[in-house]
Amino acid sequence: MGLPEAADPPVFGSGAGVVVNTSNATACTWDGVQELDDEVWKPAASYAFRGRSDETQGPGHIDRDIMHMVRRLTVTEKIGQMTQVQVGLLLDCNGELNETAVKHWIDTWKIGSFLESPGNHNGRYSWYSPQKFAELTDAVQKIALEHGSKIPVLWGLDSVRGANYVKGATIFPAGIATAATFDADHAFAAGRVAAKDSRAAGTHWAFAPVLDIAVNKLWSRTYENFGEDPYLSAQMGRASVQGYQGDYKSDRTRVAACLKHFIGYGYPFDGSDRANRHIAAHELLEYYVPPFRAAIDAGSATAMESYGVVNGEAIMLSHYYLTQLLRKQLGFEGMLVTDWGEINSQATLYRTAKDIEEATKMALQQTSVDMSMVADDDSFGRTMLNLVANGTVSEERLNESVARVLQLKKDLGLFTDPFSDPQLARTVGSLQDVNAARDAVRESVTLLKNENNVLPLSVEEKVLFVGPTLDSTRLMGGGWNVHWQGPSEEDGDAVYQGFGDTIIRGVRKVTGVAPKYMQGVDIDGEALIDIDKVVKAANKADKVVVGLGEHTYAENGGNIGQLLLPAKHIELVSAIANQTDTPVVVVLVQGRPRGLGSIAQDAAAILNAYLPGAYGGLPIAELLYGRSSPSGRLPTTYPATEAQASSTIWQSSYGEYAPQWAFGYGLGYSNITYTNVTVSHSDLQMGTPVTVSVTVTNHGPYAQKEVVQMYTHQQYRAGYAPELFRLREFTKIDLNVGATETVLFTLTAEELAFWDRRLRRRIEPAPVTVAINPFTQKDISAVVQLRGDPGYVLEEAEY
């Protein structure tokens, strides 16, 4: 079995994504500078959609017609269905679709899937409108139906916070900010809108939600995830899958969700992206698996394996992680894709394979991977043809994966109508979506400090606004926003073409006057700007609001050596605080909890806005001026020192936990009290849950959305150090001034079972403290006696 005919075509593409077709008659006339997409449309103000439901549709059964199709395909066609390459290989030197290149990949390699946005790979436009994006995907789809295997192609996109690569699509707060709402309905809304806008562009598959547990806060991908807590992440992950996917087998406004990155990615040893992770097997099951289990239970159609290695073992080549754990223990039946180039990286980066052929062989023989996101070349196809020809990989192994790929295409409706729906484009950028994003921001921003009630501001006060993040849409967005690394400085805010706002513009809308604004420092903290003028203006102001944070980044582009904010950022706040008597309010626009140094003392108030997205400006301004009261709570521990970068709420209780602010911490503008904590029974045993009750009262002066959190702390555990706290349940309630509400939680003994080193999930009896909001409400707790047989195993895992 040799290579397909025409295996040596003209050269299409390079590692940099620049595509050249030497046989194409079109002259190269473009200078390579991306343009603004000039497509204009008036988004529908609102539209109907299907709401959140706990009824799940998921993968599993392979239909008979799909198996017939699989058996009819040639080996080359089967390998093609298992291959995914990036869109840059389909573009010409003018940044336009090169049909010759498309036909090459479809005819020669029978490619079954493409990914990415042309805006990331030297496409003509920096940010493609749904109309122009759909023109490209539909053109590719038409070629796929007329050439090669004549099977529709599946298009994947990193729509991780809205359809962030589609012009005008509403960019929602980053995952870390969504988690800070402690309201999973926001995760659902973000996923639902992302799905709709992705389908408008002719794409069908979102590489989301991101479910890594963010342990090391240095990690550049902290902001993509739902925080450090297994329970919070699981609740957000479940709702997110419901949003993206919903009734995906019948609802053509939904996409296939993709749980990622399986598994252990969020604890890089030194904080740098893809660094080795050292995670004991029982700790992996206890803390890192729950969000993935929840997403699988919610019906996620696809999964993506993780970059790198855990305990020195390559995830990509691991039978345990990708077959035993994912498929057999967790019951995942969907389609499994690699991350970008990850099979080849076993040989070229991690040195876990002699060469690409060995890496490919091990991946197919040892794991259940179905599709290689080879991305940049035809190496997967070439290698697989050789491996099948010499009997190393069986055709039956191909059939198993191809069946899952084709069933997914059928479930998504691609065999019925693979093209984009022009009507969906009219809803992209809808005010309804923008309001949903702004609501998420309002409930995510976390008030960390408020000395002497310096906040909220009054419209009568003279307020000076200083700092680079206050007057920038792109910095509010961060990475995975227009582009992979976010808009460049050259792109600036112009790339949004009005689809977004800034905090300064939000202040103007709230107050009705143009605020006084000075930059003060650059975003990288390399130099103070007009500091003497800033201090002089601050002396004349009643209050100063300083916006600090990070430049845009993703993955390796965000690696840092320390958490501390740049020195000049800290100096800016210090200069104002120490050379004036004017109170300073700091607004942090950041993807991870950066160290504050003297800011923690110098600032009278501190708001953490995370990465609120393109429409974060107005809701942040509203919170500053008291139009609503902050209700966000920290979804990660906020370290006080560099040594605390990997501190978590679930670390062993005997170790010191003294962060700047604890997980779950956050303030509002109202005085909220908790009283009357009771449990329905003093004993907690399997099959007999207890009800935990607490009374919450709002003493004013503002209406308040209040996050009520229930934690447990096992006072001892035979042979194993118990965690400091485990979040067991939470709810968010609306309390008007003077209102009182009794909140009920259910606690089960099964929740308190833990994984031991023999990979058995079991109970160790002991007294358990049930605590409500332990870091904002002192001594609001009760004690129950956990009872059970330590020898009884609830669940057992193989390793």
Side-chain angles (χ1 to χ4, degrees):
M1 184 183 304
L3 292 172
E5 294 182 7
D8 297 307
V11 178
F12 301 111
S14 71
V18 179
V19 179
V20 179
N21 175 11
T22 55
S23 69
N24 192 7
T26 302
C28 297
T29 59
W30 184 44
D31 62 5
V33 177
Q34 290 185 317
E35 304 166 8
L36 296 179
D37 183 338
D38 60 2
E39 190 75 38
V40 177
W41 71 100
K42 184 178 181 180
S46 63
Y47 55 90
F49 64 89
R50 299 183 191 178
R52 185 179 175 189
S53 170
D54 287 331
E55 294 183 11
T56 61
Q57 287 188 355
H61 177 73
I62 304 297
D63 295 340
R64 182 176 297 179
D65 60 334
I66 294 298
M67 290 310 305
H68 285 320
M69 185 183 299
V70 171
R71 286 192 285 269
R72 289 198 303 268
L73 297 179
T74 66
V75 168
T76 301
E77 288 174 322
K78 291 173 182 177
I79 294 170
Q81 289 302 309
M82 297 172 64
T83 306
Q84 185 179 57
V85 297
Q86 53 96 350
V87 65
L89 301 179
L90 310 182
L91 305 181
D92 64 20
C93 56
N94 292 314
E96 304 286 356
L97 185 67
N98 184 339
E99 292 192 1
T100 305
V102 179
K103 291 173 184 176
H104 160 68
W105 287 105
I106 297 293
D107 274 334
T108 304
W109 294 107
K110 324 298 182 188
I111 296 299
S113 182
F114 296 99
L115 81 154
E116 262 280 21
S117 161
N120 281 333
H121 296 276
N122 286 357
R124 189 83 176 196
Y125 306 104
S126 51
W127 203 24
Y128 278 66
S129 64
Q131 294 85 354
K132 284 193 170 62
F133 209 134
E135 286 175 13
L136 185 147
T137 56
D138 284 350
V140 172
Q141 201 69 269
K142 185 173 186 296
I143 292 172
L145 295 177
E146 296 172 352
H147 294 263
S149 304
K150 299 181 174 58
I151 294 175
V153 295
L154 176 67
W155 202 292
L157 201 61
D158 279 294
S159 296
V160 295
R161 41 200 299 221
N164 35 272
Y165 289 159
V166 178
K167 172 187 166 180
T170 301
I171 298 176
F172 279 73
I176 198 74
T178 304
T181 68
F182 276 73
D183 184 344
D185 284 345
H186 291 298
F188 171 82
R192 180 190 62 76
V193 174
K196 169 184 67 70
D197 293 350
S198 297
R199 287 299 289 241
T203 69
H204 328 98
W205 181 16
F207 300 132
V210 188
L211 300 174
D212 309 301
I213 295 296
V215 176
N216 192 327
K217 312 309 184 296
L218 286 162
W219 188 37
S220 61
R221 306 194 75 164
T222 294
Y223 68 89
E224 298 178 45
N225 300 278
F226 295 124
E228 72 183 34
D229 184 77
Y231 180 79
L232 175 61
S233 298
Q235 300 311 304
M236 293 292 170
R238 177 182 291 109
S240 187
V241 169
Q242 292 168 340
Y244 280 103
Q245 199 166 289
D247 302 324
Y248 76 114
K249 296 181 182 180
S250 58
D251 185 349
R252 299 308 170 216
T253 69
R254 302 300 179 99
V255 296
C258 183
L259 56 90
K260 69 177 190 182
H261 308 82
F262 195 82
I263 191 170
Y265 191 16
Y267 194 9
F269 184 68
D270 63 359
S272 62
D273 192 41
R274 304 197 198 186
N276 187 20
R277 288 89 78 184
H278 304 288
I279 306 171
H282 63 292
E283 292 184 335
L284 191 86
L285 293 169
E286 183 73 35
Y287 306 116
Y288 298 83
V289 163
F292 293 94
R293 186 190 292 270
I296 291 168
D297 291 346
S300 183
T302 74
M304 183 184 294
E305 58 80 37
S306 172
Y307 282 129
V309 299
V310 171
N311 303 326
E313 180 183 12
I315 295 289
M316 183 65 257
L317 306 179
S318 173
H319 175 80
Y320 171 70
Y321 293 121
L322 300 187
T323 301
Q324 179 60 41
L325 179 57
L326 179 64
R327 298 283 189 188
K328 295 181 180 179
Q329 185 173 342
L330 298 181
F332 176 67
E333 296 182 305
M335 196 265 279
L336 175 62
V337 65
T338 77
D339 210 329
W340 189 285
E342 194 66 354
I343 292 180
N344 290 4
S345 291
Q346 305 309 310
T348 61
L349 177 61
Y350 309 119
R351 307 301 179 189
T352 56
K354 178 180 66 176
D355 52 31
I356 289 174
E357 181 169 328
E358 183 178 67
T360 307
K361 177 190 73 173
M362 288 193 289
L364 270 292
Q365 288 183 341
Q366 298 173 187
T367 82
S368 63
V369 68
D370 298 310
M371 181 179 288
S372 173
M373 190 190 291
V374 65
D376 287 322
D377 56 40
D378 57 19
S379 59
F380 182 73
R382 290 177 179 272
T383 303
M384 283 294 293
L385 281 168
N386 290 333
L387 290 174
V388 175
N390 63 31
T392 303
V393 174
S394 71
E395 192 166 349
E396 281 305 307
R397 174 64 182 86
L398 303 188
N399 292 347
E400 176 186 321
S401 288
V402 174
R404 285 195 281 255
V405 172
L406 294 179
Q407 184 66 51
L408 176 63
K409 292 184 178 184
K410 179 181 179 181
D411 290 343
L412 288 165
L414 300 189
F415 292 129
T416 303
D417 184 2
F419 298 104
S420 65
D421 179 357
Q423 295 304 311
L424 286 181
R426 295 181 58 252
T427 71
V428 173
S430 167
L431 180 61
Q432 177 174 298
D433 298 342
V434 172
N435 286 338
R438 284 175 168 158
D439 285 344
V441 177
R442 289 184 186 97
E443 293 192 38
S444 69
V445 173
T446 306
L447 180 61
L448 299 174
K449 182 180 181 182
N450 195 20
E451 279 185 355
N452 301 318
N453 293 321
V454 67
L455 287 177
L457 306 173
S458 167
V459 293
E460 284 76 33
E461 291 174 323
K462 183 186 294 184
V463 182
L464 173 66
F465 293 86
V466 181
T469 59
L470 298 182
D471 195 29
S472 172
T473 306
R474 74 182 187 93
L475 294 179
M476 290 196 301
W480 305 102
N481 154 42
V482 179
H483 296 306
W484 172 43
Q485 295 288 333
S488 66
E489 288 189 23
E490 290 74 21
D491 287 326
D493 283 357
V495 73
Y496 293 96
Q497 295 179 263
F499 290 103
D501 61 17
T502 68
I503 297 171
I504 290 297
R505 291 208 295 271
V507 169
R508 181 169 189 165
K509 186 167 185 177
V510 169
T511 64
V513 297
K516 182 173 179 57
Y517 169 73
M518 305 176 76
Q519 184 173 341
V521 68
D522 67 291
I523 189 60
D524 293 316
E526 295 179 352
L528 295 173
I529 300 171
D530 296 327
I531 186 59
D532 292 339
K533 293 181 180 178
V534 169
V535 170
K536 184 177 180 180
N539 265 310
K540 298 177 180 179
D542 296 315
K543 292 173 183 175
V544 179
V545 175
V546 180
L548 303 175
E550 301 182 290
H551 63 75
T552 67
Y553 59 82
E555 300 187 36
N556 285 324
N559 285 347
I560 54 176
Q562 62 176 7
L563 277 173
L564 193 66
L565 279 169
K568 297 299 181 184
H569 284 206
I570 297 171
E571 286 180 27
L572 173 63
V573 175
S574 179
I576 298 170
N578 294 314
Q579 296 180 44
T580 77
D581 293 322
T582 308
V584 178
V585 175
V586 171
V587 178
L588 299 167
V589 178
Q590 56 185 2
R592 52 199 154 191
R594 296 299 296 264
L596 300 179
S598 61
I599 290 175
Q601 291 74 46
D602 289 339
I606 299 174
L607 279 168
N608 190 7
Y610 311 95
L611 293 177
Y615 289 99
L618 178 60
I620 291 173
E622 290 172 343
L623 289 165
L624 285 170
Y625 279 91
R627 297 296 186 270
S628 57
S629 179
S631 64
R633 300 293 181 260
L634 287 175
T636 67
T637 296
Y638 203 116
T641 67
E642 299 291 338
Q644 295 174 355
S646 294
S647 290
T648 66
I649 191 69
W650 43 263
Q651 68 187 41
S652 296
S653 59
Y654 68 85
E656 182 183 43
Y657 183 73
Q660 194 76 58
W661 295 286
F663 173 91
Y665 181 81
L667 306 171
Y669 294 150
S670 257
N671 176 22
I672 307 294
T673 60
Y674 289 67
T675 56
N676 303 326
V677 177
T678 63
V679 292
S680 60
H681 201 283
S682 59
D683 284 351
L684 180 61
Q685 51 192 334
M686 289 178 56
T688 308
V690 301
T691 299
V692 179
S693 171
V694 61
T695 301
V696 188
T697 301
N698 181 4
H699 300 281
Y702 292 87
Q704 182 71 45
K705 288 182 179 291
E706 179 68 7
V707 178
V708 187
Q709 308 162 53
M710 180 181 70
Y711 296 80
T712 62
H713 165 65
Q714 189 160 339
Q715 295 181 13
Y716 59 83
R717 183 186 288 156
Y720 292 84
E723 301 95 338
L724 178 65
F725 282 105
R726 290 296 298 272
L727 178 65
R728 299 300 181 187
E729 196 173 347
F730 61 84
T731 188
K732 199 164 193 175
I733 60 175
D734 288 294
L735 284 176
N736 290 323
V737 176
T740 294
E741 184 168 333
T742 298
V743 176
L744 302 179
F745 293 118
T746 300
L747 181 65
T748 68
E750 289 83 351
E751 291 175 80
L752 275 70
F754 72 103
W755 287 97
D756 67 18
R757 69 180 302 272
R758 294 172 60 185
L759 305 190
R760 303 172 305 172
R761 190 165 173 267
R762 58 189 183 84
I763 289 172
E764 279 289 348
V768 173
T769 301
V770 181
I772 305 295
N773 293 28
F775 295 102
T776 54
Q777 301 287 332
K778 303 301 182 185
D779 301 320
I780 305 297
S781 62
V783 177
V784 295
Q785 178 64 43
L786 175 63
R787 301 191 184 279
D789 177 5
Y792 180 78
V793 178
L794 282 74
E795 186 178 358
E796 194 164 6
E798 294 182 16
Y799 189 77

